[in-house]
Amino acid sequence: MTWGYFFKRVGLFFVVVLTAMTVNFIIAHSVPGDPIGGVISQMTSRGGAVENADEIIASYRQRFGLDQPILIQYVVYVWNTLQFDLGTSIIYFPQSVTGSIVAALPWTIGLLLVATVIAFSCGSVIGAMLAWSGTPRLARALAPLLMIFSSIPYYLLALILLYVFAVWPNWFPLGGGYSSGTVIGFNPASLLDLAYHAVLPALSIVLAGLGFWALGMRGAMINVLGEDYLTLAEGEGLSRRRIFLAYGMRNAMLPQVTNLALSLGTIASGSVLVEVAFGYPGIGFLLYDALRASDYFMIQGICFVLVLTVALAVLVLDLIYPLIDPRIAHR
Amino acid sequence: MSEPLLKVRDLTVSYLIKGERGRAADNVSFDLHAGERLGIVGESGSGKSTLALALMRLHKPPARIEAGSAVLDGTDLLTLEGEALRRFRWSQISMIPQGAMNSLNPVMRIGVLMADPIRAHEKGWSGDRIRARVAETLESVGLNRSVADLYPHELSGGMKQRVCIALAIILKPKLIVADEPTSALDVVVQRKVIETLKDVQKQIGAGLIMIGHDMGLMAQSVDRLAVMYAGRLVENAPIRRFFRDPLHPYSQLLISSLPSPDEVREMKGIPGAQPSLFKLPSGCAFHPRCPAVQPRCKVEEPLSRSITAERDVACHLVSPETADV
Amino acid sequence: MSTATPITRPRGHAVLRGLAELGSNVKLTSGLVLVLSLVALAVIGPLLVDTEMARPISAPTNRPPSPDYLLGTDGGGRDLLAVIIASTPQTLRLGLLAGLIGTVGGTFLGLVAGFFGGWLDRIISTATDVVLTIPPLAILLIVAASVRSVSVEMMAFIIAALAWMHPARSIRAQVLSLRERAYVEIARISGMGDLRIALFEVLPNLLPLIMSSFVAAVSGAILAALGLEALGFGPQDTPTLGMTVYWSLLYGAFGRNMWWWWAPPIVILAILFIGLFLISVGLDEAVNPRLRRQA
């Protein structure tokens, strides 16, 4: 790919991150009064005194230069964030926000990555087959069912699955990432336990996403099937398999991948809620805890990391795209 | 005269839309000999592209082949199905599509694109042999063999059209159907591409059916000319004879509407417009616009008749006796 | 492989023809049936059921369904039938409001970006891409966490601020392709002002896409609201479907098998989403007939 394209994409990444940080900052400071004081008073009003209130306030004033002019505060904030100094948790003072996030992130990434990969690849193949006239009619009747599933939000699907498979018949655990008492390691027993706990959350994400990808691919495939180069390929007497794969799917994948990049934000949001429903110890659940306790800096930090992760994933996809579409590579 | 390579008899292709039938090709019959170049001209909407697609069996619903036969070297290609059809395609009959811009798979290199038909029809060719064939075919259409490493979007319009020509001849088929191969190109490039097409066609000794609407181009490129009007073949004659003495009133109007560099005269178009294939006039489809229309023309459809051994005309006013040939 | 196509000016007739065809579209009609029945529930319900009973402590707590309380009561002493009747219109209102604002804003931006091009397009497109990349929940949560309490209208506005991107993007793409069409050229040549062209020539042909985007935006808005409410950040005083689910989970209704608390809102939400989805897909198929080929 050309350097221009590369820099444009990386530039976009930084713009996104900076925008997110700035929006964060602006919102926090548009609330009247001292953000820290305000948060703490909010917490006390919800019941219970906050220990070490003075210590927290003091350390923050110092760290974030709260008595300085707003521009300086902004610079300090950006600087700190870039170094991943996201502050400390108010509830679990002095546990650092970054520390908590780092502990929870692998769970989220693992779940999200595996589930999205499965949903995307299976969904795309199913979608392509739905558009291909060579697929048996019976298989194509599946389409409406898949579509129904894909319209239900991740969260609702998670709750439904939870009830149907865990509460009612007790086939799967009610939540959590691992059984209490297990030591997590690379042994088969613990891996199996991990997988067991991950099935329902992953299933929610997969089912909700499958229909979406299938539908998108079906649409893209139908467009491709109307193209001249496909008619010519047919006229050339190429095997149906070759036409389907190299002329059909190969071209339909392009808008699909673009869709993937566009949907990552939504998928991330959805999976956060799935974690909440299942109590799965990832970023989502961490966020839920923080929200309930009004742990302001934790909330901010997690949201920032969320934005960062998604922006990074989009960047990766953007950089991969020229590899599959030669027309972009030469811009 | 030797046995024709292609014998098309009474080919009828219709469009069926919401209960209405439009005849894009109505009892079309013609012969083509090996090495011969046949041009089919007509205005937009005359059904010529449908004819081309039907011969390749690439027509899609609502178009349907209703009747007729097209026998290429003993095989009726309208009755082939499944694997037999697949194997017949490209190895016996190939096509040069109208829009080269969209006919080349954008994510494939030219070399791979051209190797595909070889792989599909010749099992057991080594990679080197395939590459060699691709290279020599590219060179035969005047392109450098390095084009094989490029992607379609890196080529100019003329180059892309030449790639399509190369693609069409790569298996040395017996018949090539070219559907307006130069419509999208500018005049200078058009000439070159047509010359290239004529060269390679001669090299492999294939028959060529060239579909178009540019009479001037046809005059320079084909051996015979067939004129289509509203789905019917109204005249079929050797090219020189045709231009010197067109017999069908429509043909006459077509030729007189061509601008002439040495005559200064009023530009004449053809009054009226081509009828919709779904609402054809009764009798002869041309009668509303025909300057020599007779009462018989409004009622009875003229059948195509042999005026001489080499000329067919479908008009009530032309017969072997009255024609001055 | 096509011959020249005549220049057509799709106008009023297209809308009428379109409406006639819509009736035969199975997906569209079934989707409409689903959604409209919920709207009926929202409009007629309050006339039949006393929504005051949706307030806490208006009924004995934790009762399963009975002839007195058709959907039972929850842990806070609310008559759940009343809750459902009261909250459905709230959710619908929010979706409609946010969807409307988002679609109007997005359409406007998409129209401007696609039609005028140049630096205007670049700014709008870059802004769209940037905001698209940010997970909506992240921004919503930051706002929700900073603001003490939020009303349905406020939620709608916040959500709308994140709903304009998809309409903007797809409208822009469509405008770009329409711009090249013959009748726009003719309008230009005949001296029509750019703004007039945008409004009278291009906009009517965007209607199907705008409708489709609107439905998607409404769906997205309700989804975003659900996300916020699932975490407890919905309106505290007015009942909404999402908040009902939240409270039911908070009070352990799952484990206590109080299905009458969390199941009805989930069912209603599911019907809403499925209905909106069917409408959206039905609209897509009506606009692009090729999609109708298979089931």
Side-chain angles (χ1 to χ4, degrees):
Chain A
M1 86 194 78
T2 60
W3 281 116
Y5 180 78
F6 180 75
F7 281 123
K8 210 162 73 144
R9 292 291 128 188
V10 173
L12 194 72
F13 171 73
F14 281 114
V15 170
V16 171
V17 173
L18 198 66
T19 310
M21 283 201 279
T22 312
V23 167
N24 242 340
F25 186 79
I26 293 178
I27 294 176
H29 286 262
S30 54
V31 173
D34 187 339
I36 318 301
V39 169
I40 296 198
S41 68
Q42 188 182 9
M43 288 166 51
T44 29
S45 74
R46 284 202 187 179
V50 180
E51 296 167 16
N52 309 310
D54 294 327
E55 262 183 65
I56 301 177
I57 296 180
S59 92
Y60 268 107
R61 278 200 205 284
Q62 194 208 12
R63 246 239 216 89
F64 291 92
L66 289 174
D67 8 341
Q68 314 262 22
I70 197 116
L71 230 64
I72 309 269
Q73 286 189 45
Y74 178 63
V75 173
V76 171
Y77 166 69
V78 172
W79 181 240
N80 280 334
T81 312
L82 285 179
Q83 293 183 313
F84 283 101
D85 175 10
L86 297 166
T88 53
S89 159
I90 296 181
I91 305 302
Y92 302 110
F93 190 83
Q95 165 83 337
S96 80
V97 169
T98 318
S100 314
I101 294 181
V102 166
L105 202 56
W107 293 93
T108 303
I109 301 231
L111 181 70
L112 204 52
L113 208 64
V114 170
T116 306
V117 164
I118 295 178
F120 184 73
S121 35
C122 290
S124 295
V125 170
I126 292 176
M129 295 205 309
L130 286 177
W132 186 245
S133 52
T135 325
R137 237 155 245 261
L138 214 67
R140 283 198 256 146
L142 262 185
L145 198 69
L146 275 177
M147 298 207 286
I148 303 283
F149 266 122
S150 79
S151 61
I152 303 182
Y154 288 40
Y155 184 60
L156 292 184
L157 203 58
L159 290 178
I160 296 175
L161 284 177
L162 187 61
Y163 186 71
V164 170
F165 289 107
V167 174
W168 209 20
N170 215 351
W171 289 341
F172 283 95
L174 268 174
Y178 47 92
S179 316
S180 46
T182 3
V183 174
I184 306 174
F186 273 108
N187 53 73
S190 98
L191 283 176
L192 206 65
D193 186 51
L194 286 176
Y196 183 55
H197 280 86
V199 168
L200 284 185
L203 197 62
S204 312
I205 302 180
V206 168
L207 275 182
L210 203 70
F212 176 70
W213 297 123
L215 213 63
M217 188 63 165
R218 175 173 166 266
M221 196 65 170
I222 289 183
N223 278 331
V224 165
L225 289 177
E227 293 282 348
D228 287 342
Y229 54 83
L230 216 91
T231 315
L232 191 63
E234 207 186 322
E236 289 175 32
L238 305 182
S239 73
R240 305 213 75 184
R241 206 163 137 252
R242 176 82 178 152
I243 300 181
F244 179 71
L245 290 175
Y247 290 76
M249 266 197 87
R250 182 69 179 70
N251 277 286
M253 280 307 280
L254 300 178
Q256 265 299 75
V257 171
T258 309
N259 271 334
L260 180 63
L262 291 174
S263 325
L264 278 179
T266 323
I267 298 179
S269 304
S271 74
V272 159
L273 296 174
V274 168
E275 285 183 14
V276 170
F278 283 99
Y280 199 73
I283 298 272
F285 199 64
L286 199 66
L287 186 62
Y288 182 59
D289 256 351
L291 284 167
R292 288 224 284 143
S294 296
D295 195 345
Y296 190 71
F297 297 105
M298 188 69 101
I299 299 174
Q300 259 205 345
I302 295 176
C303 286
F304 174 69
V305 168
L306 208 60
V307 175
L308 192 69
T309 321
V310 172
L312 201 65
V314 170
L315 178 66
V316 167
L317 275 175
D318 277 342
L319 293 179
I320 291 182
Y321 196 78
L323 295 177
I324 53 176
D325 187 354
R327 289 170 289 191
I328 305 290
H330 294 257
R331 287 250 189 96
Chain B
M1 264 274 188
S2 54
E3 186 67 12
L5 170 70
L6 175 70
K7 287 199 281 234
V8 175
R9 296 281 177 270
D10 300 323
L11 177 56
T12 306
V13 184
S14 304
Y15 282 98
L16 221 70
I17 299 182
K18 291 199 183 129
E20 306 234 341
R21 173 182 268 109
R23 290 245 165 92
D26 191 355
N27 283 302
V28 171
S29 304
F30 60 85
D31 284 346
L32 183 74
H33 292 83
E36 191 180 15
R37 292 188 283 261
L38 171 71
I40 302 185
V41 282
E43 296 167 70
S44 295
S46 56
K48 42 192 213 298
S49 268
T50 313
L51 189 64
L53 282 177
L55 282 176
M56 289 292 298
R57 299 286 300 280
L58 285 176
H59 59 285
K60 297 267 183 295
R64 269 186 57 218
I65 297 182
E66 296 203 330
S69 66
V71 179
L72 178 67
D73 226 16
T75 319
D76 183 357
L77 43 88
L78 298 182
T79 56
L80 291 173
E81 292 295 337
E83 182 65 10
L85 177 62
R86 188 195 73 77
R87 261 181 285 148
F88 195 81
R89 279 178 165 155
W90 226 248
S91 53
Q92 311 292 317
I93 174 172
S94 71
M95 176 171 208
I96 302 174
Q98 185 172 40
M101 330 297 143
N102 295 320
S103 302
L104 302 174
N105 191 343
V107 296
M108 262 187 186
R109 287 185 211 271
I110 302 292
V112 179
L113 209 87
M114 290 177 67
D116 260 353
I118 302 179
R119 272 186 243 272
H121 294 273
E122 307 276 3
K123 314 289 174 198
W125 277 36
S126 72
D128 287 334
R129 193 170 168 200
I130 296 179
R131 264 188 293 277
R133 170 65 77 90
V134 169
E136 90 190 14
T137 314
L138 282 174
E139 282 176 346
S140 70
V141 295
L143 292 170
N144 194 310
R145 38 174 72 199
S146 63
V147 166
D149 293 325
L150 298 177
Y151 284 99
H153 67 272
E154 298 178 278
L155 304 175
S156 73
M159 289 169 86
K160 276 195 272 215
Q161 200 64 40
R162 289 202 217 192
V163 166
C164 285
I165 297 177
L167 195 56
I169 62 166
I170 198 147
L171 292 176
K172 305 204 206 274
K174 301 205 181 97
L175 176 66
I176 305 174
V177 178
D179 186 3
E180 310 219 32
T182 56
S183 294
L185 305 172
D186 66 66
V187 189
V188 180
V189 181
Q190 261 185 15
R191 195 103 206 275
K192 291 209 178 122
V193 168
I194 292 288
E195 290 303 315
T196 310
L197 180 56
K198 282 159 71 175
D199 278 341
V200 295
Q201 176 241 349
K202 196 155 137 211
Q203 270 176 45
I204 63 175
L208 175 69
I209 297 180
M210 193 151 89
I211 308 221
H213 58 266
D214 186 340
M215 301 280 289
L217 203 63
M218 289 290 173
Q220 296 167 18
S221 330
V222 302
D223 303 320
R224 302 189 121 255
L225 191 66
V227 180
M228 267 190 95
Y229 186 82
R232 294 160 195 184
L233 216 59
V234 298
E235 184 156 3
N236 184 346
I239 190 79
R240 290 215 200 301
R241 222 60 74 68
F242 180 86
F243 271 89
R244 222 185 312 139
D245 185 19
L247 292 177
H248 194 282
Y250 180 55
S251 318
Q252 291 164 352
L253 285 175
L254 276 179
I255 293 188
S256 66
S257 70
L258 287 175
S260 165
D262 39 317
E263 269 186 64
V264 176
R265 57 181 168 137
E266 215 181 299
M267 285 286 289
K268 268 197 297 181
I270 306 180
Q274 181 132 190
S276 152
L277 295 172
F278 290 87
K279 288 193 171 54
L280 291 177
S282 56
C284 173
F286 187 60
H287 84 248
R289 300 162 82 187
C290 182
V293 59
Q294 302 291 312
R296 187 181 176 197
C297 304
K298 301 189 192 172
V299 182
E300 200 183 317
E301 190 190 324
L303 296 172
S304 184
R305 276 183 300 180
S306 286
I307 305 301
T308 71
E310 294 179 323
R311 294 189 75 162
D312 292 340
V313 181
C315 178
H316 293 305
L317 309 172
V318 181
S319 66
E321 305 83 39
T322 62
D324 193 13
V325 281
Chain C
M1 308 187 184
S2 54
T3 49
T5 34
I7 298 175
T8 43
R9 271 175 103 246
R11 269 283 204 114
H13 331 290
V15 177
L16 286 172
R17 245 188 298 126
L19 282 174
E21 284 201 12
L22 289 180
S24 58
N25 193 331
V26 173
K27 296 192 177 83
L28 190 57
T29 33
S30 42
L32 276 172
V33 162
L34 288 177
V35 174
L36 287 176
S37 47
L38 287 181
V39 172
L41 182 74
V43 169
I44 302 176
L47 304 172
L48 301 173
V49 173
D50 181 12
T51 51
E52 288 299 309
M53 298 288 277
R55 289 184 185 283
I57 323 192
S58 23
T61 60
N62 299 324
R63 292 270 188 282
S66 62
D68 285 333
Y69 303 107
L70 285 170
L71 282 178
T73 62
D74 69 1
R78 291 177 269 247
D79 178 354
L80 282 169
L81 183 62
V83 169
I84 297 293
I85 300 282
S87 54
T88 307
Q90 297 295 335
T91 306
L92 288 175
R93 213 156 57 99
L94 183 128
L96 230 78
L97 193 60
L100 202 67
I101 301 175
T103 307
V104 167
T107 303
F108 176 69
L109 286 175
L111 206 66
V112 166
F115 197 74
F116 293 109
W119 56 269
L120 210 57
D121 181 12
R122 300 194 68 184
I123 294 181
I124 296 180
S125 295
T126 314
T128 312
D129 280 344
V130 167
V131 183
L132 256 179
T133 315
I134 301 178
L137 201 66
I139 300 291
L140 289 173
L141 285 177
I142 296 291
V143 173
S146 312
V147 178
R148 298 305 143 77
S149 67
V150 61
S151 69
V152 172
E153 280 79 11
M154 256 183 85
M155 261 184 98
F157 273 109
I158 301 170
I159 292 174
L162 293 167
W164 57 269
M165 296 91 66
H166 278 289
R169 214 167 186 278
S170 45
I171 298 279
R172 174 181 172 272
Q174 186 72 343
V175 169
L176 282 179
S177 78
L178 281 178
R179 205 167 65 157
E180 308 305 316
R181 294 277 187 90
Y183 57 90
V184 175
E185 282 299 308
I186 291 177
R188 264 220 191 95
I189 294 174
S190 62
M192 246 179 144
D194 268 348
L195 190 62
R196 285 197 70 198
I197 299 180
L199 285 178
F200 293 110
E201 300 284 334
V202 178
L203 199 57
N205 288 292
L206 289 177
L207 276 176
L209 191 60
I210 296 179
M211 285 197 292
S212 181
S213 298
F214 174 65
V215 173
V218 169
S219 183
I222 303 183
L223 184 68
L226 179 67
L228 279 179
E229 289 167 354
L231 297 169
F233 276 100
Q236 303 283 332
D237 322 318
T238 27
T240 60
L241 294 167
M243 286 308 281
T244 311
V245 176
Y246 171 72
W247 278 315
S248 73
L249 291 179
L250 201 62
Y251 281 83
F254 245 55
R256 289 150 76 183
N257 213 7
M258 292 171 68
W259 56 269
W260 59 88
W261 194 355
W262 51 263
I266 291 185
V267 167
I268 299 221
L269 281 169
I271 294 179
L272 187 58
F273 280 111
I274 295 177
L276 286 171
F277 178 74
L278 284 174
I279 295 179
S280 174
V281 173
L283 275 178
D284 276 345
E285 287 190 0
V287 170
N288 185 359
R290 282 194 294 190
L291 288 174
R292 265 184 255 159
R293 257 202 326 149
Q294 0 257 341

